[in-house]
Amino acid sequence: MSRIRIIERSGIEAALARLDGWWSARSARERVMVGTLGVLMAALILIFGVVKPLQSARTEARNDIRAYETLLARMRAAGTLVVNAPQQPEGTPDQIVAQAAAGAGIAVTVTGAGEAPIAKAEGVPYDGLVRWLADATRAGLSVRDARIVKANAPGRVDAVVEFAR
């Protein structure tokens, strides 16, 4: 009497058993060729499926970091964006004229008191004169009359300015 034994195998065990049977049926030459092909396929999948994407992601990340570091350095170099308004001169018109001139770094002689002072500046830099006039007008004075003449030195002027409130 013969015995029949039934063995239940899982799907993976059955697939491995079929693969082992298929592999055993191959000649030595076929096994070498299929094995070499399998190694080449695994290497290609590893290189083009894992290594290359990781390298490109790393390169992009480094470029992004470099760009953000450059932007951060530019922002730090730019400083704060808070603008403090310069303090406006106060007082009588002749005091405002004198304070604005001192703020612009020029020396003036103020004559005439009251609402229409006349200021005289000799040999002052032109940009300082313009700054002085801008500060005085911001403080509420207006220029009624101005006579600006080129001085002997380059970039220097002589000016007589009449202000009005």
Side-chain angles (χ1 to χ4, degrees):
M1 184 174 212
S2 67
R3 290 186 183 178
I4 298 176
R5 209 163 94 170
I6 299 174
I7 302 172
E8 290 184 35
R9 295 184 181 167
S10 67
I12 295 176
E13 289 176 353
L16 288 176
R18 280 193 310 263
L19 180 65
D20 186 41
W22 178 82
W23 186 258
S24 300
R26 303 294 119 209
S27 68
R29 180 175 173 229
E30 288 175 331
R31 287 181 188 172
V32 169
M33 289 172 52
V34 170
T36 304
L37 179 64
V39 169
L40 286 174
M41 290 293 288
L44 288 173
I45 290 171
L46 180 69
I47 289 171
F48 291 106
V50 177
V51 175
K52 289 287 187 177
L54 284 176
Q55 284 179 338
S56 67
R58 181 177 182 223
T59 302
E60 286 179 26
R62 281 187 169 184
N63 290 339
D64 289 345
I65 289 170
R66 206 172 287 125
Y68 290 131
E69 284 177 345
T70 302
L71 287 173
L72 180 63
R74 287 181 181 175
M75 287 180 0
R76 285 185 178 158
T80 59
L81 298 177
V82 177
V83 178
N84 295 331
Q87 189 176 10
Q88 296 298 328
E90 296 177 357
T92 62
D94 53 337
Q95 290 173 335
I96 292 174
V97 169
Q99 289 174 5
I106 62 173
V108 296
T109 306
V110 181
T111 58
E115 295 297 314
I118 298 173
K120 186 176 184 181
E122 295 179 353
V124 297
Y126 180 75
D127 58 340
L129 177 77
V130 172
R131 236 179 299 131
W132 167 52
L133 295 175
D135 289 346
T137 55
R138 259 192 305 251
L141 297 178
S142 61
V143 177
R144 182 181 292 169
D145 184 34
R147 290 178 299 279
I148 302 171
V149 180
K150 178 182 167 188
N152 293 335
R156 302 277 178 165
V157 293
D158 297 332
V160 176
V161 182
E162 182 179 348
F163 291 94
R165 173 74 71 170

